[in-house]
Amino acid sequence: RVTVGKPVNALLTAIRTTNMLGKPTKVSEAPDDELGSVIHAFNSMQDKLESEARRNADALRRLDYIYNETPALMFSIDAEGVIIHASGHWLDETGYRREDIVGAPLGQFLSAAPGEDFDTIRRTIVEATRPLRDIPFTLARKNGERMEVLMAVVPDIEADQVAKLCVLSDISG
């Protein structure tokens, strides 16, 4: 019972801890038998998971840095056209704070070009399944100034076409 029970319980504890904390947990001691081989394989798998999690976290940090520091007016919207994120450059150029815009509808900041119907264009953007380019809008800065922009829309293929990345080009001249 001790020969099998103690290592199995240690393995189960590591599995439960990993599930609860969401981070790989290893078994500290392993016997020199078949069960020890299973524990060593488990620990090796945990090392690989931890390494992959670090690489993913680093990639996300780099992507977030690029998104926020690229000198482009970028923001992301969800399936309803609600802003879910905006780049640091977008915030700098418009004067809004992140809390002013996240959760707000696209129409709160953009209006259609003269002669265009905003709701139709918004639907086209939200329902886009392929990239769109050169959609004319007027962007309202926080101070009330207007900026003429062209929008490019890129559907997020990994999110089953739900989220969209939108990039604005200032054409105010």
Side-chain angles (χ1 to χ4, degrees):
R1 183 175 172 162
V2 171
T3 305
V4 174
K6 186 176 179 184
V8 167
N9 281 334
L11 188 57
L12 287 172
T13 299
I15 291 168
R16 287 184 186 116
T17 303
T18 296
N19 284 335
M20 201 167 52
L21 298 179
K23 103 177 208 188
T25 305
K26 295 189 284 186
V27 178
S28 59
E29 294 181 29
D32 291 327
D33 58 12
E34 293 84 5
L35 196 50
S37 294
V38 170
I39 290 172
H40 287 298
F42 173 82
N43 284 342
S44 176
M45 179 185 69
Q46 295 294 69
D47 286 339
K48 288 177 184 173
L49 288 172
E50 191 168 32
S51 175
E52 186 65 27
R54 266 194 312 273
R55 278 195 303 276
N56 288 339
D58 289 345
L60 281 173
R61 262 192 307 281
R62 284 191 308 275
L63 184 60
D64 187 60
Y65 175 81
I66 290 168
Y67 185 95
N68 282 298
E69 298 304 321
T70 297
L73 299 164
M74 295 188 296
F75 61 97
S76 301
I77 58 172
D78 67 11
E80 284 77 44
V82 172
I83 297 174
I84 55 177
H85 192 65
S87 69
H89 185 72
W90 194 92
L91 298 171
D92 291 344
E93 287 295 308
T94 62
Y96 292 104
R97 296 172 307 148
R98 197 168 306 283
E99 49 273 6
D100 294 333
I101 60 157
V102 172
L106 186 60
Q108 187 171 327
F109 307 98
L110 295 174
S111 55
E116 301 285 342
D117 176 39
F118 183 79
D119 286 333
T120 301
I121 296 172
R122 186 191 64 76
R123 259 192 321 278
T124 300
I125 293 166
V126 168
E127 295 171 5
T129 57
R130 61 178 179 74
L132 304 173
R133 305 226 184 316
D134 298 335
I135 304 166
F137 283 106
T138 301
L139 172 66
R141 288 186 167 119
K142 187 169 184 170
N143 66 7
E145 291 177 11
R146 299 273 192 215
M147 178 191 311
E148 299 304 315
V149 295
L150 290 177
M151 180 189 294
V153 178
V154 181
D156 184 349
I157 59 172
E158 296 299 319
D160 203 18
Q161 307 296 332
V162 174
K164 309 287 189 286
L165 173 65
C166 303
V167 182
L168 303 176
S169 299
D170 183 357
I171 58 169
S172 299

